[in-house]
Amino acid sequence: MKVLFVCNNAYNQGNGLSVSVHNTLRKLREHGVDARLMAVRNPDPDGPQPDFPLEHYEFPIVEPLIYSNGFGFARNDRALFDKAVAWADIIHFEEAFPLEYLVCKAARRMGKACTGTFHLYPHNITANLGLPKKNLINPLLLLNWKSMVFQYCSDIQCPTAVVRDYLQQHGFKARLHVISNGIDIPAEPVRVANVPADGVVDILCIGRLANEKSQKTLMEAMRYSRHADRIRLVFAGNGPKSKSYRKTAERLYREGILKIPASFGFYTHDELCELARKAYLYIHCAWVEVEGLSCLEALREGVVPVIAAGDLIGTSVFALGPESLYPVRDSRALAERIDWWIEHPAQRNEMAQRYADSARNYDIEKSIEALIGMYRQALEGTGK
């Protein structure tokens, strides 16, 4: 089985889509699938390169905004598109942008099976343009993605049931498969150490500092928390809101709301795992999120989450009880959840182990087996 993954930018650190693409490719190959990648060249000349490399297209004026959000677009290369599609049995689309549209046209011309993963809501794009959740562009974007690419996919991977329901509501006719992107799970179950709540309380928030990730909700919650004076906020990530969020955190410290300065940084995968093991709570504030692998990887290390709940948030499926959920963008409710966990350390330490155990349900090995099954169904439709 030869599978071609098509993705504009697969080499941007901190981009969840890029991480998912490389993890999936690696695991598919381990399972005997000849999986190859078409994407923009890796800007690191000493790093790995895509099997079918494309040149980067720089948009006039808005390129800095695109780059700050961990993205980039490819230049068209129709000769390369034809070569890659002719090689493959299945074309798997990670997005539905102009690159994917042209590759999809080639695939249809050659009668190749097409599948995809729904990694992005339109809201992920428009939020970074400063637009509200409800706007005229979102439905147009979704219609565009559907008509250009997804209507030609026989099967679509939905990382969560929330995504599946969304696509059903918007008339997607493909077979929809709820398959987590998955994470690496250690062979031996994690044994979680207790984290005390009688000193400094470390609260970890991982993710790109951007509008749709809504880390400002966590900072606003500090104004309502009874324990803000001993909370240390740890933000792991970069992004377009970095400067603004740092100023907000500094203001909370100057005003005496926070007695311990918040920390900001970009960390390696191993460093993030260590931060999660030491954290008392993990907060996931995003108001639009297809799955949220950063949250899942934190849970694997045995940290209790508090996750925003809303109609565009797949991450909320990881919560094991109402104490780990709060209404999206409600900073007062978030403060109440944080205070409850701080005031119930025994329950926190008990649930930390339960969360570590629950993460094993999202083993990437299971996801890859399901994905290979999806590909077999897609091939059956072409008679190959």
Side-chain angles (χ1 to χ4, degrees), residues 213-230:
K213 302 300 182 183
S214 197
Q215 290 95 343
K216 66 178 182 180
T217 305
L218 174 55
M219 287 185 272
E220 290 169 357
M222 294 299 97
R223 296 188 178 276
Y224 307 111
S225 171
R226 295 184 293 274
H227 303 282
D229 59 341
R230 57 195 185 94

Side-chain angles (χ1 to χ4, degrees), residues 342-353:
I342 291 175
E343 292 164 7
H344 293 80
Q347 288 91 330
R348 183 268 169 207
N349 288 324
E350 176 189 346
M351 289 302 297
Q353 185 63 58

Side-chain angles (χ1 to χ4, degrees), residues 13 30 33 58 67 88 201 207 289 305 353 360 371 374:
Q13 289 188 342
E30 290 177 7
V33 176
E58 293 192 14
Y67 180 80
V201 176
E289 190 84 83
Q353 185 63 58
R360 301 186 72 82
L371 203 57
M374 186 183 89

Side-chain angles (χ1 to χ4, degrees), residues 121-139 141 145 211-212 287-288:
Y121 290 110
H123 311 69
N124 290 105
I125 306 297
T126 56
N128 288 289
L129 299 176
L131 298 178
K133 178 180 177 180
K134 292 186 177 181
N135 60 70
L136 296 176
I137 297 178
N138 285 341
L141 261 181
W145 294 353
N211 278 326
E212 81 273 20
W287 62 265
V288 53

Side-chain angles (χ1 to χ4, degrees), residues 55-242:
E55 299 303 320
H56 177 210
Y57 177 78
E58 293 192 14
F59 276 87
I61 302 174
V62 297
E63 184 64 26
L65 176 62
I66 295 172
Y67 180 80
S68 69
N69 279 287
F71 203 75
F73 287 93
R75 285 188 178 277
N76 295 333
D77 186 337
R78 297 186 188 229
L80 186 65
F81 297 167
D82 286 350
K83 177 182 176 181
V85 170
W87 166 84
D89 298 319
I90 298 171
I91 319 301
H92 187 91
F93 298 105
E94 294 289 297
E95 309 145 336
F97 295 123
L99 164 66
E100 286 78 15
Y101 169 65
L102 293 174
V103 175
C104 186
K105 284 185 68 175
R108 289 158 51 204
R109 188 173 71 247
M110 298 184 200
K112 297 300 178 81
C114 294
T115 62
T117 300
F118 196 83
H119 279 294
L120 293 170
Y121 290 110
H123 311 69
N124 290 105
I125 306 297
T126 56
N128 288 289
L129 299 176
L131 298 178
K133 178 180 177 180
K134 292 186 177 181
N135 60 70
L136 296 176
I137 297 178
N138 285 341
L140 293 177
L141 261 181
L142 186 64
L143 179 62
N144 182 262
W145 294 353
K146 180 180 173 183
S147 62
M148 288 202 313
V149 174
F150 286 121
Q151 73 170 337
Y152 302 109
C153 293
S154 62
D155 299 81
I156 298 175
Q157 176 193 1
C158 305
T160 61
V162 173
V163 173
R164 178 201 58 201
D165 296 346
Y166 176 84
L167 297 187
Q168 287 177 338
Q169 291 164 9
H170 288 86
F172 280 60
K173 302 300 183 184
R175 289 185 293 260
L176 303 177
H177 305 255
V178 179
I179 304 172
S180 169
N181 286 304
I183 58 172
D184 287 308
I185 297 294
E188 294 297 322
V190 172
R191 290 292 168 250
V192 180
N194 289 346
V195 177
D198 54 358
V200 174
V201 176
D202 282 338
I203 291 182
L204 176 62
C205 189
I206 301 173
R208 192 164 39 84
L209 302 177
N211 278 326
E212 81 273 20
K213 302 300 182 183
S214 197
Q215 290 95 343
K216 66 178 182 180
T217 305
L218 174 55
M219 287 185 272
E220 290 169 357
M222 294 299 97
R223 296 188 178 276
Y224 307 111
S225 171
R226 295 184 293 274
H227 303 282
D229 59 341
R230 57 195 185 94
I231 287 174
R232 175 165 49 212
L233 299 179
V234 180
F235 294 98
N238 290 326
K241 302 292 287 186
S242 178

Side-chain angles (χ1 to χ4, degrees), residues 219 231-235 245 249-250 253 258 260-264:
M219 287 185 272
I231 287 174
R232 175 165 49 212
L233 299 179
V234 180
F235 294 98
Y245 286 167
E250 289 169 2
Y253 181 65
L258 292 176
I260 306 166
S263 73
F264 291 80

Side-chain angles (χ1 to χ4, degrees), residues 275-353:
L275 285 172
R277 284 190 286 271
K278 292 179 178 178
Y280 191 82
L281 293 174
Y282 173 87
I283 310 298
H284 200 84
C285 303
W287 62 265
V288 53
E289 190 84 83
V290 163
E291 184 170 25
L293 291 184
S294 61
C295 179
L296 195 52
E297 290 186 328
L299 302 193
R300 178 189 57 199
E301 304 304 321
V303 63
V304 171
V306 180
I307 304 167
D311 60 336
L312 295 174
I313 308 170
T315 321
S316 57
V317 301
F318 303 147
L320 298 180
E323 295 84 8
S324 281
L325 292 170
Y326 74 96
V328 65
R329 289 172 165 166
D330 188 334
S331 55
R332 288 181 183 269
L334 176 54
E336 289 174 4
R337 298 292 187 273
I338 290 171
D339 288 347
W340 190 92
W341 286 111
I342 291 175
E343 292 164 7
H344 293 80
Q347 288 91 330
R348 183 268 169 207
N349 288 324
E350 176 189 346
M351 289 302 297
Q353 185 63 58

